[in-house]
Amino acid sequence: MAFGIRRQELIEWKEKVQKGEIAFLTHYWYDERFPQYTTVTKVGCSDIEKLAAWGEKYGLCREWIHERNLFPHFDLLGEKQIMILRQEGLFDHLKRFRLASKGEGER
Protein backbone atom coordinates (compact mmCIF):
# COMPACT_ATOMS: atom_id res chain seq x y z
CA MET A 1 0.00 0.00 0.00
CA ALA A 2 1.38 3.41 -1.02
CA PHE A 3 1.18 6.66 0.93
CA GLY A 4 2.64 10.16 0.65
CA ILE A 5 2.54 10.73 -3.10
CA ARG A 6 0.36 12.96 -5.18
CA ARG A 7 -1.64 11.70 -8.15
CA GLN A 8 0.36 14.01 -10.46
CA GLU A 9 3.64 12.40 -9.33
CA LEU A 10 2.30 8.96 -10.20
CA ILE A 11 1.05 10.19 -13.58
CA GLU A 12 4.45 11.75 -14.38
CA TRP A 13 6.29 8.57 -13.33
CA LYS A 14 4.06 6.43 -15.56
CA GLU A 15 4.56 8.80 -18.51
CA LYS A 16 8.34 8.69 -18.16
CA VAL A 17 8.35 4.90 -17.81
CA GLN A 18 6.20 4.50 -20.93
CA LYS A 19 8.53 6.83 -22.88
CA GLY A 20 11.47 4.54 -22.08
CA GLU A 21 13.07 6.87 -19.53
CA ILE A 22 14.51 5.75 -16.20
CA ALA A 23 12.01 7.16 -13.69
CA PHE A 24 12.02 7.27 -9.89
CA LEU A 25 9.03 7.24 -7.56
CA THR A 26 9.57 7.14 -3.80
CA HIS A 27 6.67 6.79 -1.39
CA TYR A 28 5.78 5.62 2.07
CA TRP A 29 4.85 2.00 1.99
CA TYR A 30 3.74 -0.86 4.19
CA ASP A 31 4.11 -4.53 3.42
CA GLU A 32 3.85 -7.05 6.23
CA ARG A 33 6.62 -9.11 4.56
CA PHE A 34 9.04 -6.21 5.16
CA PRO A 35 7.96 -4.50 8.40
CA GLN A 36 11.40 -2.93 8.88
CA TYR A 37 10.97 -0.71 5.79
CA THR A 38 8.64 2.29 5.62
CA THR A 39 9.50 3.52 2.12
CA VAL A 40 10.16 2.09 -1.31
CA THR A 41 11.56 3.65 -4.46
CA LYS A 42 10.26 2.26 -7.72
CA VAL A 43 12.71 2.68 -10.58
CA GLY A 44 10.91 2.01 -13.82
CA CYS A 45 11.49 1.99 -17.55
CA SER A 46 9.50 0.31 -20.34
CA ASP A 47 12.76 -0.57 -22.11
CA ILE A 48 13.69 -3.71 -20.16
CA GLU A 49 17.23 -3.79 -21.57
CA LYS A 50 17.84 -0.19 -20.52
CA LEU A 51 16.39 -0.86 -17.05
CA ALA A 52 18.47 -4.03 -16.63
CA ALA A 53 21.65 -2.16 -17.65
CA TRP A 54 20.84 0.65 -15.23
CA GLY A 55 20.29 -1.86 -12.42
CA GLU A 56 23.50 -3.70 -13.21
CA LYS A 57 25.47 -0.54 -12.31
CA TYR A 58 24.13 -0.94 -8.78
CA GLY A 59 24.38 -4.70 -8.47
CA LEU A 60 20.69 -5.30 -9.14
CA CYS A 61 19.85 -8.55 -10.91
CA ARG A 62 17.67 -8.54 -13.99
CA GLU A 63 15.48 -11.20 -12.33
CA TRP A 64 14.48 -8.60 -9.73
CA ILE A 65 12.63 -6.50 -12.31
CA HIS A 66 8.91 -6.59 -11.70
CA GLU A 67 7.46 -6.91 -15.19
CA ARG A 68 3.96 -5.75 -14.44
CA ASN A 69 1.65 -4.34 -17.08
CA LEU A 70 3.25 -1.38 -18.84
CA PHE A 71 5.45 -0.36 -15.91
CA PRO A 72 8.45 -2.65 -15.40
CA HIS A 73 10.43 -1.58 -12.33
CA PHE A 74 12.88 -2.38 -9.57
CA ASP A 75 11.79 -1.92 -5.97
CA LEU A 76 14.54 -0.34 -3.86
CA LEU A 77 14.50 -0.76 -0.09
CA GLY A 78 16.75 0.06 2.86
CA GLU A 79 20.42 0.89 2.52
CA LYS A 80 20.48 0.05 -1.20
CA GLN A 81 17.63 2.52 -1.73
CA ILE A 82 19.46 5.27 0.15
CA MET A 83 22.77 4.60 -1.61
CA ILE A 84 21.18 4.68 -5.07
CA LEU A 85 19.14 7.81 -4.36
CA ARG A 86 22.36 9.55 -3.24
CA GLN A 87 24.31 8.41 -6.27
CA GLU A 88 21.50 9.48 -8.59
CA GLY A 89 21.44 12.91 -6.92
CA LEU A 90 17.86 12.53 -5.72
CA PHE A 91 18.41 14.36 -2.46
CA ASP A 92 14.85 15.67 -2.50
CA HIS A 93 13.61 12.07 -2.12
CA LEU A 94 15.99 11.50 0.79
CA LYS A 95 14.87 14.65 2.55
CA ARG A 96 11.15 14.38 1.85
CA PHE A 97 10.94 10.80 3.12
CA ARG A 98 13.43 11.33 5.96
CA LEU A 99 15.87 8.76 4.58
CA ALA A 100 19.02 10.80 5.11
CA SER A 101 20.81 11.28 8.39
CA LYS A 102 20.97 14.83 9.75
CA GLY A 103 22.99 17.03 7.46
CA GLU A 104 22.85 14.55 4.60
CA GLY A 105 20.54 14.82 1.65
CA GLU A 106 21.10 18.54 1.30
CA ARG A 107 23.52 19.77 -1.27
Side-chain angles (χ1 to χ4, degrees), residues 14 20 23 25 32 40 42 46 56-57 76 80 94 98:
K14 287 180 174 183
L25 181 68
E32 62 188 23
V40 62
K42 295 189 176 296
S46 61
E56 193 174 298
K57 294 187 317 186
L76 306 179
K80 184 69 92 170
L94 294 166
R98 298 182 180 102

Side-chain angles (χ1 to χ4, degrees), residues 45-91:
C45 182
S46 61
D47 181 337
I48 299 289
E49 295 305 318
K50 184 175 182 179
L51 184 58
W54 176 89
E56 193 174 298
K57 294 187 317 186
Y58 296 109
L60 304 176
C61 298
R62 180 188 189 101
E63 305 84 67
W64 298 345
I65 296 173
H66 296 274
E67 294 190 49
R68 297 194 183 133
N69 302 319
L70 302 173
F71 308 104
H73 65 276
F74 284 108
D75 284 334
L76 306 179
L77 303 168
E79 291 302 316
K80 184 69 92 170
Q81 174 190 23
I82 293 167
M83 182 269 298
I84 291 172
L85 289 172
R86 280 187 185 135
Q87 289 189 12
E88 291 286 332
L90 296 169
F91 301 106

